[in-house]
Amino acid sequence: MDIGDVGARLVDRFGPEAEGWLGQVPELAARLASRWGAVLGEVFRSGASSVVLRCRWRDGTPAVLKLSPDRALLTRQVEMLRLFAPSGRVPAVLAADADAGAMVLEEVLPGTEAEDLPPESLPQRWGELLAALHAVPPPVRWPWELRGRCDEAFARIGRRLSDPVIGARIRPDAWQRAMRRCEALLDTQARIVLLHGDLHLGNVLDGGPARGLVAIDPKACWGDPCFDAVDFVVAGAGQDGVEARCQRVATSCGLDGDRLYAWSRVIAPMVAVAHLTYGAPEPVLDELLALSA
């Protein structure tokens, strides 16, 4: 089982203690597969918080086994996926073991990431996805709200400003400006829905013509519906342009275009930090930094 690249990301996120956990992954995966009657396949592309393996469920359903050293995070993901299940726009949870930090999900097929889908049809399809997700009523006393999600993101990503390469392009005043804009939007929320909370293009997959777009890895919170469209809008930087994309997405999703554009100015510096970390063409950075001004 080759988990080298995934392992490096996990160690970067969780620290050296993740190395010990990674050493136990092959045995843990085999034990869970035996218990659940699943057949393991190859390591699947995953993010920075889990190891994901393709597998075949006991009834033949293509599935994925997801394992994480952050058991609490994975348990919350299971809860959030089950919460959004009535929408039909998230993967079904086939099994979960909170103590093991494991869950099995149906594999979304064909599974093409949204950024690789035909761009002309994507705004309409995004609107259909949001309509389905936002129709799920927020549970009573759901503990997570958009304000907390934003506070956490500003604190976590803001630590990267100490990197000289990032700090040279994103000044503290730009970061503070984004935080003030965020507060203003949070203070004026009118329509409140249950948000996916992390709906970027890598977290949206093609579920085929009958099902439409499917969202993975939710960070469910309640708040302004524009938030679930803003990552798609800001991904227009250096391409069709954020302002032009904002108009199309707002129309397709039935959102307030002015608020959606204001949200794009909030998250533009966060996205710029990611691009400065991993590399991006200058036109993309230029547009993001201009939005941050």
Side-chain angles (χ1 to χ4, degrees):
M1 183 184 297
D2 183 9
I3 55 177
D5 290 344
V6 177
R9 292 197 295 273
L10 286 168
V11 171
D12 183 58
R13 173 162 181 171
F14 295 115
E17 59 272 19
E19 292 180 351
W21 178 83
L22 285 163
Q24 301 171 22
V25 163
E27 188 277 332
L28 175 61
R31 177 161 49 85
L32 290 169
S34 176
R35 190 217 300 176
W36 286 329
V39 178
L40 293 178
E42 72 275 16
V43 176
F44 196 42
R45 178 198 62 78
S46 58
S49 63
S50 61
V51 173
V52 182
L53 297 93
R54 276 197 170 94
C55 63
R56 190 160 293 277
W57 196 234
R58 51 181 175 253
D59 64 358
T61 299
V64 294
L65 169 63
K66 186 171 184 178
L67 306 167
S68 176
D70 190 339
R71 294 176 177 85
L73 172 65
L74 191 136
T75 298
R76 287 197 300 273
Q77 286 190 350
V78 169
E79 182 182 10
M80 291 172 183
L81 286 167
R82 286 173 170 161
L83 179 62
F84 279 117
S87 73
R89 296 301 190 110
V90 296
V93 178
L94 304 179
D97 185 327
D99 292 334
M103 64 177 165
V104 179
L105 306 174
E106 64 161 321
E107 182 177 0
V108 178
L109 297 172
T112 308
E113 289 189 3
E115 62 186 349
D116 296 322
L117 295 173
E120 61 277 3
S121 64
L122 201 50
Q124 181 62 38
R125 299 184 72 186
W126 205 275
E128 294 165 357
L129 172 63
L130 292 198
L133 293 176
H134 295 173
V136 176
V140 177
R141 292 185 294 276
W142 184 250
W144 295 289
E145 60 174 313
L146 182 55
R147 189 178 300 273
R149 173 93 174 85
C150 292
D151 288 346
E152 182 276 332
F154 273 114
R156 172 173 46 85
I157 300 171
R159 289 194 287 269
R160 304 301 307 276
L161 299 183
S162 61
D163 183 317
V165 173
I166 295 172
R169 302 293 297 274
I170 303 175
R171 308 303 302 171
D173 60 327
W175 199 251
Q176 292 297 322
R177 197 158 45 242
M179 294 176 69
R180 290 194 299 271
R181 287 169 174 157
C182 184
E183 278 296 317
L185 286 166
L186 292 170
D187 288 344
T188 56
Q189 295 179 104
R191 182 183 169 215
I192 300 295
V193 300
L194 185 66
L195 300 166
H196 175 282
D198 194 23
L199 206 61
H200 58 76
L201 289 163
N203 272 350
V204 177
L205 308 177
D206 183 10
R211 190 172 188 183
L213 298 181
V214 176
I216 62 173
D217 295 343
K219 294 183 179 177
C221 57
W222 49 267
D224 186 342
C226 289
F227 192 78
D228 272 350
V230 68
D231 283 287
F232 177 28
V233 168
V234 173
Q239 300 184 43
D240 47 331
V242 171
E243 188 169 4
R245 183 173 290 192
C246 181
Q247 294 173 358
R248 286 196 294 275
V249 172
T251 299
S252 297
C253 297
L255 298 171
D256 181 327
D258 291 337
R259 285 189 68 85
L260 183 55
Y261 186 71
W263 273 113
S264 74
R265 302 190 76 187
V266 168
I267 74 158
M270 298 186 188
V271 178
V273 168
H275 284 318
L276 286 164
T277 302
Y278 300 108
E282 279 300 316
V284 174
L285 283 169
D286 288 344
E287 186 168 357
L288 291 172
L289 296 175
L291 279 168
S292 306

